[in-house]
Amino acid sequence: MQPALSIIFFTVVSGAGLGLFIVLAVAGLFGAPQTGAALSACVAGLVLTTLGLVSSTLHLARPKNAWRAFSRFRTSWLAREAVLAIIFYPLALAYTALWWTRANALDNPVWVAVSLLIGLIALATVFSTGMIYACLKTIRQWHTPLTPVNYVVLALMTGHLLLLALQDLAGGQVSAFEMEIALGLLAAGALMKLAYYAWIAPPQGPTINTATGFTRANVRLLDVGHGAGTFLTEEFGFQLARRRRVLLRWCVFILGFVLPALLLLAGLAQALAVRPAALAAPALALAGIFIERWLFFAEAQHVVNLYHGRRQT
Amino acid sequence: MKLGLVIDLDTCVGCNACAVACKQWNTSGTTGPLSDYRPFGKDPSGVWFNRIRHYEVGDYPGSKTVHFPMSCMHCEDADCVTVCPTGASWKRPEDGIVLVDQDKCMGCNYCAWACPYGARELDREDGVMKKCTLCVDRIYDEELPEEERQPACVLTCPAHARFFGDLDDPDSEVSTLVRERDGGQLMPELGYNPTNLYLKPRKPAQVPPHDAPAGAGGADDAGGDSGGGLAARVKNWVNRAVAR
């Protein structure tokens, strides 16, 4: 697949924004973040989510019809995501208002209900983003339950790292327990990415033989029938060189998981002040996840490439 | 009713007449124009609903060149329709034709991602997805004489390799052909249940090519030097040694 920067930016940034709301909703119920930190997290989450959603419309060829994307939520994960994102906004504003009015007490049923709802809706939105890709039978690298898991875990991970940074910036104390949770999420993200890369490594699914119906003979492309590129080659023909892929995967693991984890460990062991650790960790992780998302698209092989001569995806 | 095409890979000569007729009809029809990009430039490109690829099937000397026209398969379980968030992509219940409502399409490309057959192409000039309509603006046109109420690609095919009809009717020409020639779907394992079916080439007569060793008739003993007496084996060896 041709990696489209607008979609990569959208999935990473709004994933982080929604993830921030999920972890804030949970942490808020346990009384963890101070009001200042929580309010800045709400604002940051709203800004990130909005930036992402606006960016997602940039790849539309006719954005004036984008409002119609809410209509087919009964069958389309893209429409479900759009609907959930729209439900998210009033809830997110209500949740921010509750923090603003200091109504965050566990004996306030409205607070508990809105916290739970915002967490669930944000989680469902990220899950839908993953399912947009996972439901496509044409791209085996995406058509796996690991895809929505990928989106949810990385959203939680980047969201939690952002929350730690905002807590530290707002002058609050970042507890050791919160750092340990961040380490756990980093480990979960890294393990999940390892499982994903192992899963997509062996070729599976349709071959040039099943694509052409000649299942009992060798099939070779003689001529693709067009001299210059077509929509199909521009959209699906992207090929990633093996060496570049290996290099970028190392970048994903080192930037996305290993360095943030080392920084947090150093902060925990008090080898390093908490502030640089808490600030650098989300920046590095987001850079790593940008590369991860670029690879997610670049490594995806659409089955239409079989008609253009690939033997298997 | 399940309208669709049956394509005979045995007789298709890969002349691209179907693609040209399709482009001509549809660029001036209700779905048109089918935009061209840089038509007189170095790398001309554009929107086509029908594309013909060419393959070599089997191994020398038993191989065959197969010309492979592909357009929308009007699948029975068309994911391009279910993934569409706007409802622009739809399948007609009465005859199974899959269409795009260009007034609703927002050009997100998601349906093209969901299509395994590469049937959908974004028109970058108009900003909407376009695809084969099975010439819906032609096959129901009562102004036309009845024999012309067929898709443009079928009418124009000089090799008579394309057939149009109702695949739900067991007595139609297409259903009979599929039954007699064992017509098959492309990539059935993905479960899209494409309506268009392909007839495989008939088994070719085995003619030994003149540079194959004596007795070599098919792919099984191609290139083997097991047959013949001593003289033939020496000759074979000399031939190979000299060629090197």
Side-chain angles (χ1 to χ4, degrees):
Chain A
M1 293 288 297
Q2 181 68 40
L5 283 180
S6 60
I7 305 187
I8 294 169
F9 184 83
F10 154 60
T11 57
V12 174
V13 169
S14 70
L18 292 164
L20 187 53
F21 265 99
I22 302 171
V23 290
L24 179 63
V26 176
L29 284 179
F30 287 97
Q34 301 81 352
T35 309
L39 276 172
S40 54
C42 285
V43 173
L46 276 168
V47 168
L48 289 172
T49 311
T50 311
L51 277 178
L53 288 171
V54 169
S55 156
S56 76
T57 62
L58 291 180
H59 92 287
L60 300 180
R62 188 177 274 188
K64 80 175 170 69
N65 275 349
W67 63 275
R68 291 183 185 273
F70 304 108
S71 64
R72 293 303 150 110
F73 56 86
R74 277 183 301 176
T75 60
S76 169
W77 281 103
L78 184 48
R80 284 172 201 166
E81 188 207 32
V83 169
L84 285 165
I86 285 303
I87 298 175
F88 165 81
Y89 272 96
L91 275 171
L93 291 174
Y95 184 69
T96 312
L98 285 170
W99 275 106
W100 182 259
T101 55
R102 309 287 194 275
N104 51 319
L106 272 181
D107 53 1
N108 180 356
V110 178
W111 157 255
V112 176
V114 173
S115 292
L116 288 175
L117 263 179
I118 189 79
L120 282 175
I121 292 291
L123 186 67
T125 313
V126 180
F127 178 77
S128 301
T129 311
M131 283 309 292
I132 289 176
Y133 306 102
C135 76
L136 293 175
K137 285 181 269 190
T138 47
I139 299 171
R140 68 163 184 90
Q141 287 86 351
W142 293 353
H143 190 53
T144 149
L146 287 170
T147 300
V149 174
N150 182 72
Y151 275 78
V152 169
V153 170
L154 295 183
L156 290 175
M157 189 189 97
T158 46
H160 190 69
L161 289 174
L162 281 174
L163 183 63
L164 292 192
L166 289 169
Q167 263 181 278
D168 190 62
L169 278 180
Q173 193 71 36
V174 178
S175 69
F177 180 64
E178 285 175 298
M179 304 249 272
E180 282 158 16
I181 291 197
L183 283 171
L185 284 169
L186 283 163
L191 280 176
M192 191 267 317
K193 252 359 258 189
L194 280 173
Y196 176 79
Y197 287 138
W199 175 256
I200 66 167
Q204 331 159 7
T207 62
I208 192 170
N209 298 89
T210 62
T212 54
F214 296 104
T215 48
R216 294 168 67 184
N218 280 326
V219 179
R220 283 172 297 274
L221 179 75
L222 285 180
D223 190 83
V224 78
H226 47 77
T230 69
F231 170 75
L232 299 174
T233 60
E234 286 158 17
E235 187 76 3
F236 305 119
F238 188 86
Q239 297 290 337
L240 186 62
R242 200 183 153 275
R243 285 177 64 185
R244 201 157 156 227
R245 187 186 70 200
V246 172
L247 178 75
L248 287 172
R249 281 188 183 179
W250 277 108
C251 290
V252 169
F253 280 102
I254 291 172
L255 281 176
F257 308 111
V258 175
L259 284 181
L262 285 177
L263 280 171
L264 289 182
L265 278 174
L268 263 181
Q270 283 158 358
L272 186 72
V274 169
R275 168 150 294 179
L279 288 189
L284 286 168
L286 277 172
I289 302 310
F290 261 105
I291 303 174
E292 181 273 335
R293 211 47 54 83
W294 188 88
L295 271 176
F296 178 78
F297 286 92
E299 288 189 278
Q301 284 291 326
H302 194 281
V303 290
V304 83
N305 289 328
L306 298 173
Y307 293 107
H308 295 150
R310 272 187 80 93
R311 312 208 66 76
Q312 196 161 21
T313 57
Chain B
M1 199 160 61
K2 190 167 99 179
L3 294 183
L5 300 174
V6 168
I7 293 165
D8 188 350
L9 297 176
D10 194 48
T11 49
C12 176
V13 293
C15 66
N16 280 263
C18 51
V20 175
C22 163
K23 178 120 176 167
Q24 190 277 330
W25 176 262
N26 286 300
T27 203
S28 38
T30 48
T31 51
L34 274 61
S35 303
D36 283 323
Y37 323 124
R38 308 169 300 276
F40 305 106
K42 238 188 333 192
D43 50 351
S45 183
V47 182
W48 293 77
F49 294 167
N50 197 352
R51 291 190 181 273
I52 294 94
R53 295 153 185 128
H54 312 269
Y55 301 94
E56 183 186 19
V57 177
D59 298 307
Y60 174 85
S63 62
K64 180 175 167 58
T65 302
V66 176
H67 309 287
F68 217 96
M70 285 179 69
S71 52
C72 175
M73 306 281 161
H74 299 282
C75 302
E76 290 194 71
D77 300 303
D79 272 12
C80 56
V81 173
T82 53
V83 302
C84 176
T86 63
S89 212
W90 60 297
K91 185 171 173 69
R92 283 158 57 107
E94 64 268 35
D95 52 17
I97 298 178
V98 177
L99 294 173
V100 177
D101 184 339
Q102 293 187 13
D103 292 337
K104 290 184 183 168
C105 177
M106 63 175 187
C108 67
N109 284 355
Y110 196 27
C111 56
W113 293 7
C115 174
Y117 307 108
R120 291 169 166 259
E121 300 198 9
L122 183 79
D123 188 324
R124 297 191 194 280
E125 303 270 315
D126 282 4
V128 290
M129 198 53 76
K130 296 185 177 176
K131 66 178 290 299
C132 159
T133 63
L134 210 63
C135 285
V136 70
D137 47 353
R138 177 170 189 124
I139 57 180
Y140 291 111
D141 188 352
E142 292 182 0
E143 303 276 297
L144 292 171
E146 196 164 343
E147 64 274 17
E148 283 185 28
R149 289 180 213 157
Q150 296 198 53
C153 58
V154 174
L155 278 176
T156 205
C157 179
H160 203 50
R162 303 176 71 92
F163 303 88
F164 163 73
D166 179 10
L167 284 142
D168 257 356
D169 172 8
D171 299 323
S172 66
E173 184 190 24
V174 281
S175 298
T176 314
L177 271 170
V178 168
R179 207 160 45 237
E180 286 173 356
R181 299 268 312 276
D182 195 20
Q185 300 174 334
L186 306 183
M187 271 192 279
E189 69 272 29
L190 286 186
Y192 283 65
N193 220 342
T195 300
N196 287 10
L197 298 174
Y198 285 78
L199 308 177
K200 292 212 178 63
R202 297 174 177 89
K203 204 169 163 51
Q206 294 289 320
V207 182
H210 44 128
D211 58 345
D220 296 338
D221 46 1
D225 49 2
S226 52
L230 179 65
R233 293 215 316 263
V234 169
K235 192 177 158 201
N236 240 327
W237 178 83
V238 170
N239 276 346
R240 282 190 287 126
V242 170
R244 214 177 286 138

